[in-house]
Amino acid sequence: MRELRSMGVTVELVARQASPLADVARSDGFVVHASTQFFQLLIWLYRCAEGYQAYHAHTARTATVLSVFRFLTKKPIFFTRRTDFCRPSRGWLRRFKWQQFNHIIAISRAAAQEPIRLGLRPLIVRSAVPPVQSKPIRLQNFLEQHELIGKTL
């Protein structure tokens, strides 16, 4: 979102109320719309989405809503897949859902494996997360707390 904004794109977010994502986005100056339920988000999209040029899902729940909303819009929709796990069953339903997206973006080869297995061609963007300098004290406390000092990780 920050990168898009730095390129002059107006970005708004739909997130769960009082979630860490919503809180960080608000503190960064983004407009955040709160949504807690599937149908609430679908109704919001139906009422308010005309002013947006594209839609982008980051969670499986939101991806499901956008795949249903696809039948009400011709605007581009995207899904960023960050995980490499899924239920072994319902592959046909997952493929149908993902086929509604103009593009699936995976943040790693592992996250891309399931879309590839289902015959889709995700775009792999290695890291959408900016690197963060670790804090040695925090790391040391974590290692001590979980009794990991001296172990191979």
Side-chain angles (χ1 to χ4, degrees), residues 40-75:
Q40 181 183 20
L41 178 54
L42 193 58
I43 290 168
W44 182 85
L45 283 167
Y46 182 73
R47 287 182 174 168
C48 304
E50 193 57 36
Y52 300 93
Q53 284 73 45
Y55 314 100
H56 187 176
H58 283 268
T59 66
R61 179 183 74 97
T62 307
T64 301
V65 172
L66 284 179
S67 68
V68 171
F69 186 67
R70 160 53 80 206
F71 297 100
L72 301 174
T73 186
K74 296 299 178 200
K75 294 180 181 179

Side-chain angles (χ1 to χ4, degrees), residues 41-152:
L41 178 54
L42 193 58
I43 290 168
W44 182 85
L45 283 167
Y46 182 73
R47 287 182 174 168
C48 304
E50 193 57 36
Y52 300 93
Q53 284 73 45
Y55 314 100
H56 187 176
H58 283 268
T59 66
R61 179 183 74 97
T62 307
T64 301
V65 172
L66 284 179
S67 68
V68 171
F69 186 67
R70 160 53 80 206
F71 297 100
L72 301 174
T73 186
K74 296 299 178 200
K75 294 180 181 179
I77 60 173
F78 307 93
F79 175 44
T80 297
R81 189 158 196 272
R82 301 175 313 225
T83 60
D84 65 346
F85 59 87
C86 57
R87 292 181 186 166
S89 63
R90 297 194 211 159
W92 66 271
L93 184 58
R94 189 175 310 110
R95 181 185 310 117
F96 177 77
K97 177 171 87 170
W98 289 351
Q99 284 174 330
Q100 305 314 307
F101 295 98
N102 295 82
H103 293 286
I104 295 176
I105 300 101
I107 67 161
S108 67
R109 284 188 189 168
Q113 289 306 309
E114 183 64 4
I116 291 169
R117 185 185 76 76
L118 294 174
L120 304 170
R121 297 185 348 194
L123 172 65
I124 300 174
V125 177
R126 297 251 178 252
S127 181
V129 179
V132 176
Q133 186 69 24
S134 66
K135 297 176 182 166
I137 297 270
R138 186 171 180 206
L139 180 57
Q140 184 65 29
N141 290 340
F142 177 84
L143 293 172
E144 289 172 3
Q145 177 184 357
H146 297 284
E147 300 175 356
L148 298 172
I149 294 176
K151 295 185 179 177
T152 303

Side-chain angles (χ1 to χ4, degrees), residues 16-46:
R16 290 187 178 148
Q17 185 66 29
S19 68
L21 176 61
D23 295 342
V24 169
R26 276 192 196 95
S27 71
D28 278 358
F30 289 99
V31 173
V32 178
H33 305 278
S35 175
T36 56
Q37 298 175 357
F38 180 93
F39 288 108
Q40 181 183 20
L41 178 54
L42 193 58
I43 290 168
W44 182 85
L45 283 167
Y46 182 73

